[in-house]
Amino acid sequence: MRSEQIMHGQHEKKLGRDIILDYLREAGIEYAFGVPGTHEIPLIDGTTVEEYGVSYVPCLHENIALGAAMGYARMSGRPGAAIVHITPGTANIIGNLFNAYRSNIPLIVLCGQQHSELLVQEPILASDLVRTVDQYTKWSHEIRSVDEIPLVMQRALKELLVPPFRPVFVSVPWNFLMETPVRQEPARITRIAHASTGDPDGIAAAAAELARAERPVLLLGDGVGEVDAWPEIQRLADLLGSAVYSTNQASRMDYPNDLPHWQGELLPTQEGIHMQLGDFDTIFLIGVDSQAQVLVFRWENGPVLPAHLTQVVLHNDPWEIGKNHYAQVAVLGDIKRTLPALTDEIARHPDFDGPAAGARNGTIQQLSSARTAAFTASSEYFLASERPTKIPDYEVPLAIADVQRTLDKPITVINEDFAILAAVQQAIHYDAPDAYFCTSGGALGFSLPASIGISLALGSQRLVVNIVGDGSALFHTNSWWTTRKYDLPVLYLVLNNHEYKTLMTGLGAIEDLYDWHPANEPWYLRLGQPAQDFAAIAATFGIEGEVVADGRELRTAIARGFEVIAGGQPYVIDIKIDPSSAPAAPMVDVLLAEKPGVDRDLIQRLTAMGPP
């Protein structure tokens, strides 16, 4: 009754919960994902009031709710919102809160807290919630009175709308949701105009370093995809004749994967990065946040990026500039606005050698043509009718790419199978930075939850496919309860190899680096006892699916799955992966491992992609 009075103007004063929802609506937030708890009921009830335009989406675990909010935020371009329950709910979100923080995704987490006058007595479920989440948020705060709510909501949402885009956390003692602030004012959010071009002197200095470089390379981070700076990077790469790498486990596709300059992501090892970048003399880091995405580090081998490289940096976040290593030139500014001025400055610099850049472009084009031909031959081999019945994991993206050419809508890929990350990025065509989603945090259990928010944000505009390993899928198969409840058309491809393959690969790296071997067979890294049938699991949630164990049936099954989601329903395919297939490495070397007559020297060059 109270909500109806507010809606029809019969009551001038709004409750604390109504003010919170006013601010969410003002920020353009359409959904709040959560798991109901007693203390949040007044807030959740407010989402049933049409005036606020915020719909509550129930999930079966708080980390699912946080992941769904993360997916919604990334694909909608608006902040995501999650509602969680006191200490257990806050503890449950840490994995995906960390993922969102490391991937620069703006979220507001509203947490119900115990009654404010009871907190000092340490009641059931209560704790210092702000301290629990503080290191993974841009700002966190517990409301002290109902009169703080407008100020706190304005500050929280203001922070979400300016870089760096990271989560905020607001703890709300539940009694304030039902009380009325003294002051009543409209929900307004300060929006900071932040897209500023870098300092002219800094641009000139950066241009001078890059113009003089004999072997330049570009390293791109998610700051590039965040502002959709593909055209600006392409123009710069063409001008310099430079190879383009992305940071390892980027959360976006930060450069078009079908252009010759793109060499894929950096390897997740110190030695691998040194191999990839060792032949260059100058590196331009653009929007790079993830600077140490490696498994092991040895001080005696030098910094993660080779020490001899002259570093030039452009970012809109000063913390990320020169964070780990000295930068010869550093520019603070909006990437999309600053790059054109920088590229123009390089082109007219007296030390810029156009013919040398042209020669570098020619080399890159030759290597790209060889890579494309080798990759095409490999794709044809694995998709041929006479191919083996066993399914190597890297064949899945090849089959997706083959089906993709027949679709009448673009696709968005959510990838949580790190063992085939390079193949997923190489094989499938991406038409925009956010056509690909991973996380830079690496905490497992993000993709099934994220698919909920991504599908709600995209609607029928695109076809959504989630590639996920069996170990990751088992974290949150109960995400499918929400998927079915809202009939979200997502194609789930579960690569079922009965083991944590990424961990098996990591174990191999540890063995190689330290000349160490486990005392006994690492049974703890294997799954399958009992065996998992993900199509059967999905069926318990009312989702149709199938199991594919024969490689000759893989493409047909994936095509069938796309037909189902095009019709507006989710679909799950349990793909029985051959566990003996080698882990996918950058570009084409693993894809060609089983094909006879491969030029191993060529493959080594294609993997490193440095100047010959």
Side-chain angles (χ1 to χ4, degrees), residues 38 41 155 176 179 195 208 242 294 328 331 342-343 370 393 471 476 487 561 587:
T38 302
I41 288 176
R155 181 185 294 176
F176 298 150
E179 296 176 9
S242 59
V294 294
Q328 183 74 27
V331 181
L342 176 58
T343 304
D393 51 9
H476 292 308
D487 289 332
M587 297 308 173

Side-chain angles (χ1 to χ4, degrees), residues 299-464:
W299 288 103
E300 62 268 24
N301 293 337
V304 174
L305 299 181
H308 72 273
L309 290 172
T310 297
Q311 293 195 15
V312 179
V313 185
L314 170 63
H315 209 302
N316 63 2
D317 181 358
W319 173 253
E320 299 296 345
I321 296 176
K323 179 173 69 176
N324 292 342
H325 304 291
Y326 170 73
Q328 183 74 27
V329 182
V331 181
L332 178 66
D334 180 82
I335 292 166
K336 193 172 182 69
R337 289 198 175 190
T338 302
L339 280 175
L342 176 58
T343 304
D344 290 343
E345 192 76 23
I346 294 170
R348 58 176 170 258
H349 195 279
D351 291 338
F352 177 62
D353 188 340
R360 292 193 293 267
N361 272 326
T363 300
I364 285 173
Q365 186 59 60
Q366 288 177 354
L367 290 173
S368 176
S369 297
R371 181 175 69 208
T372 299
F375 193 87
T376 300
S378 177
S379 300
E380 291 173 349
Y381 171 73
F382 283 115
L383 293 173
S385 58
E386 66 273 12
R387 49 140 292 124
T389 58
K390 289 184 177 180
I391 306 175
D393 51 9
Y394 46 80
E395 186 181 348
V396 174
L398 294 176
I400 294 172
D402 200 50
V403 175
Q404 183 184 22
R405 290 189 283 269
T406 70
L407 302 175
D408 58 4
K409 285 184 180 180
I411 70 172
T412 292
V413 174
I414 313 164
N415 182 37
E416 195 177 4
D417 191 325
F418 302 120
I420 58 166
L421 189 150
V424 171
Q425 291 186 341
Q426 171 76 357
I428 301 167
H429 172 68
Y430 301 98
D431 62 333
D434 288 337
Y436 173 84
F437 178 66
C438 188
T439 76
S440 298
L444 296 186
F446 72 83
S447 68
L448 268 65
S451 72
I452 296 168
I454 287 172
S455 184
L456 285 170
L458 294 177
S460 61
Q461 303 172 54
R462 304 176 68 91
L463 299 173
V464 178

Side-chain angles (χ1 to χ4, degrees), residues 1-11 17 49 51:
M1 182 64 182
R2 182 61 175 265
S3 297
E4 293 177 359
Q5 289 175 333
I6 292 170
M7 288 176 61
H8 294 93
Q10 298 173 23
H11 200 292
R17 72 92 185 264
V49 179
E51 171 189 353

